[in-house]
Amino acid sequence: MVILRKVVFYLFTLIYLVTCPVLILYALGFIYKPGSELGVVKTGLISVLTVPDGAHVYLGKRRYTDKTPAVVRDLLPGPYHLRIERKGYKTWSQRVIVEGEKASVLDHILLIPEQWNQETLLAERFDRLIFIPDMDYLILGNDQMPAALHMYDFRRKEASVMPEGQVSREDEVTDIWVGRGNASVLIRLKRDDMKRLMILEPDHPRIKTTELPAISAKTVEQVWFPENRKDSAFILQGGILSKVSLKEIPGTLPFFDDIIGAGVTGSHVYALNRDGTLLRRRISGGSATAVGDPDISRTLFSSGEFYAITELDSDLVLFTSSDGELLSNRLPYRMLAKEVRGFEYHKQTRQLLVWTDEAAGVFDFSDRRTHDDQLFERGPKLTWLLKDRHDIRRAFWVYEGSHVLIQDGDNVILTSYAQDYRQAEPRFVTRIREDTDVFYSEKSGWLYYLERDSGYLRSLEILPKRILLDLTLPETLDQPQKSGTPS
């Protein structure tokens, strides 16, 4: 009996001495790998968050019990084929590399539904759609009555129409100018050889209209509306930039003259003189101040083209020439040589989305580190998302800058931008009315467009409303997450 007790004691002691270190190593993230040189290796994990959540997670042929959001732990370093499946949505798959002591975080996976959620907003035929950046309004028109414009508030789902008698079938809208963060719109109307200017403002159920007889409609070249200000606009005529009062008694005040570039952003007005001097003046007035290096300005702005100036951030200003050249105040200064059709800046990630007729790409301004192995300072990296296209008209950031919605001719497609899990092929979303534009609102999560055959104003849900509410809440890396186990 004594011998048996000793055998049992030594057996349990041996089990303890073997299993205790194994359990400690496992708790610290180590695992035994048969056949490896070291025997014990550090594990990694994959964190998965999808929109919508509740999707099944597969690694290879194994399905994990927890649905997204989920964390798959204790993975040996190496490549894994990750697959996400949810009923009613297309399968998402990607090759993911797991490294020891590191987490592979896939936190912006946007699942594509088998059937998009769509809604008809206005059952009228339209042939034109123009959006006002950072506002809740769309401008709609049709070819049968070109000047009878609608201003549609997509947040309240109500339309304001032109008052009777303001326009007729003989009036043609030749130009429409809008400004970021300002609901005022300036249109140029033409009837026979007569032209006139009119300010439009939404005032449901009618559009409030104001004529500008003191300004020659024939010579207006460009218009800027200050953000969140209804009392004034800036108009370019013959190289002269003037501030125009939009109050009951309209008036003009010359701001800059003999200029080859201008822009109104935030609280400042920028102007580029013919000698290359870049000036800045407050919207409210005061004296102009020279900004930037005049020698660099003279070198950059010597093409004779007119430059639209846009202040994107406190340290980032863009210059777009009339022939599509894109320059900035940051290295390498000349971003793209020509044919830039548009751009969209995502301030939180400091990424600039740009597009031409044939391609769309992203400049990443977030990396401002100095690299010891490089003699010269690096400019922002350009990553192409799409190439070899024919008519890219618009592009929009989606889901905190992780995806991009692109209008290519009459097709709308969605592609991911997240560097670690970019989908190889963009996803088709919908087809729209020929020669019209689209608008995506990150605030609502919906795409707005004209239906291909009927011309009806329709909307299509890209991001679920619940996700948009979650995006307004602060995020922390210390929140507890689920841990997946194979089933």
Side-chain angles (χ1 to χ4, degrees):
M1 192 68 180
V2 175
I3 295 176
L4 180 60
R5 281 202 298 264
K6 287 184 178 181
V7 170
V8 172
F9 171 77
Y10 288 123
L11 179 61
F12 276 99
T13 301
L14 180 61
I15 293 173
Y16 173 80
L17 293 175
V18 172
T19 58
C20 186
V22 172
L23 292 174
I24 293 174
L25 288 173
Y26 184 81
L28 294 175
F30 289 92
I31 195 169
Y32 176 70
K33 182 180 180 181
S36 70
E37 295 182 0
L38 297 178
V40 176
V41 295
K42 191 69 174 177
T43 60
L45 61 85
I46 298 176
S47 175
V48 182
L49 189 151
T50 63
V51 174
D53 55 16
H56 291 289
V57 179
Y58 294 83
L59 279 183
K61 297 181 179 180
R62 296 186 300 172
R63 191 182 86 172
Y64 285 74
T65 55
D66 290 330
K67 298 180 181 180
T68 59
V71 177
V72 183
R73 304 180 186 275
D74 306 322
L75 297 174
L76 293 172
Y80 290 83
H81 180 72
L82 175 66
R83 191 170 83 256
I84 308 294
E85 293 185 358
R86 192 182 195 276
K87 185 178 180 180
Y89 291 83
K90 297 180 180 180
T91 299
W92 186 99
S93 63
Q94 185 71 33
R95 183 174 181 267
V96 180
I97 302 296
V98 173
E99 300 181 47
E101 300 186 81
K102 293 184 179 180
S104 298
V105 180
L106 289 79
D107 56 355
H108 284 85
I109 298 177
L110 183 58
L111 300 180
I112 306 298
E114 297 286 354
Q115 189 74 31
W116 292 97
N117 180 23
Q118 302 186 56
E119 180 181 353
T120 297
L121 302 176
L122 285 179
E124 300 180 40
R125 177 180 173 269
F126 295 103
D127 303 290
R128 171 184 281 186
L129 183 152
I130 298 174
F131 65 90
I132 304 177
D134 293 343
M135 295 297 292
D136 299 331
Y137 293 99
L138 303 172
I139 304 169
L140 306 169
N142 63 70
D143 294 338
Q144 295 178 347
M145 188 76 170
L149 300 176
H150 290 55
M151 295 187 74
Y152 184 78
D153 185 335
F154 57 79
R155 183 174 60 86
R156 297 179 178 177
K157 296 186 177 181
E158 60 184 28
S160 300
V161 299
M162 293 284 282
E164 294 183 7
Q166 288 292 323
V167 295
S168 68
R169 289 184 178 275
E170 289 74 31
D171 286 316
E172 176 189 356
V173 179
T174 60
D175 297 282
I176 299 179
W177 291 282
V178 300
R180 183 176 293 274
N182 193 315
S184 298
V185 178
L186 178 64
I187 64 173
R188 176 157 47 198
L189 295 166
K190 178 184 178 183
R191 183 190 301 181
D192 298 327
D193 293 331
M194 298 294 294
K195 295 182 179 180
R196 57 192 175 118
L197 298 175
M198 183 183 291
I199 295 288
L200 309 181
E201 295 178 87
D203 189 19
H204 184 73
R206 302 294 179 189
I207 295 176
K208 179 182 177 183
T209 62
T210 305
E211 298 265 3
L212 297 179
I215 301 173
S216 173
K218 293 182 179 180
T219 59
V220 173
E221 302 168 31
Q222 186 56 271
V223 179
W224 290 268
F225 289 98
E227 192 170 352
N228 299 320
R229 297 185 63 156
K230 296 183 178 181
D231 59 344
S232 61
F234 288 84
I235 294 181
L236 179 70
Q237 294 174 291
I240 300 175
L241 185 67
S242 300
K243 183 179 180 180
V244 179
S245 173
L246 303 180
K247 297 179 180 179
E248 295 182 359
I249 305 178
T252 61
L253 173 67
F255 237 62
F256 294 104
D257 58 12
D258 197 27
I259 62 175
I260 59 170
V264 179
T265 308
S267 59
H268 291 99
V269 181
Y270 286 88
L272 183 64
N273 282 346
R274 291 191 182 277
D275 63 1
T277 304
L278 183 62
L279 302 174
R280 185 172 62 190
R281 186 178 178 184
R282 297 191 67 83
I283 289 177
S284 56
S287 58
T289 304
V291 293
D293 188 322
D295 293 329
I296 295 178
S297 296
R298 280 190 286 270
T299 301
L300 293 175
F301 308 112
S302 58
S303 65
E305 302 288 339
F306 186 86
Y307 291 87
I309 304 172
T310 308
E311 182 184 271
L312 299 178
D313 222 326
S314 59
D315 62 343
L316 181 59
V317 180
L318 290 189
F319 307 83
T320 312
S321 73
S322 51
D323 67 350
E325 182 185 22
L326 182 66
L327 302 95
S328 79
N329 64 323
R330 295 276 307 277
L331 289 175
Y333 301 139
R334 297 188 187 277
M335 312 293 290
L336 288 174
K338 59 180 179 178
E339 299 178 352
V340 171
R341 198 163 182 177
F343 58 83
E344 191 70 28
Y345 184 62
H346 194 272
K347 195 167 185 177
Q348 287 70 33
T349 59
R350 291 182 61 85
Q351 291 169 342
L352 179 68
L353 173 63
V354 298
W355 59 93
T356 66
D357 286 337
E358 300 177 349
V362 176
F363 283 104
D364 187 356
F365 287 92
S366 63
D367 187 3
R368 305 182 63 180
R369 297 170 297 175
T370 301
H371 298 267
D372 296 333
D373 60 340
Q374 294 182 354
L375 177 62
F376 299 100
E377 181 181 349
R378 294 180 60 184
K381 180 183 177 183
L382 172 61
T383 302
W384 290 109
L385 302 178
L386 285 179
K387 286 186 176 182
D388 302 322
R389 301 286 167 159
H390 302 290
D391 186 24
I392 297 180
R393 302 172 63 122
R394 299 286 179 188
F396 304 90
W397 286 113
V398 176
Y399 194 14
E400 298 184 314
S402 64
H403 291 72
V404 177
L405 199 65
I406 299 174
Q407 178 189 353
D408 182 19
D410 304 334
N411 296 318
V412 180
I413 55 180
L414 181 68
T415 184
S416 60
Y417 174 66
Q419 295 285 350
D420 294 334
Y421 51 97
R422 184 178 303 130
Q423 290 287 299
E425 293 294 331
R427 300 279 194 171
F428 173 79
V429 177
T430 190
R431 186 167 285 111
I432 65 172
R433 193 164 182 79
E434 187 176 1
D435 295 327
T436 61
D437 291 331
V438 302
F439 174 63
Y440 170 75
S441 170
E442 184 81 335
K443 287 195 299 183
S444 69
W446 288 73
L447 170 74
Y448 301 91
Y449 68 98
L450 300 182
E451 201 274 330
R452 183 174 180 83
D453 297 322
S454 66
Y456 291 176
L457 175 64
R458 304 201 71 193
S459 60
L460 183 150
E461 189 178 37
I462 301 294
L463 280 182
K465 185 176 181 180
R466 185 171 61 84
I467 298 303
L468 295 172
L469 295 175
D470 292 342
L471 295 182
T472 63
L473 301 176
E475 296 183 357
T476 173
L477 296 177
D478 297 326
Q479 294 176 343
Q481 301 185 62
K482 296 180 180 179
S483 176
T485 56
S487 59

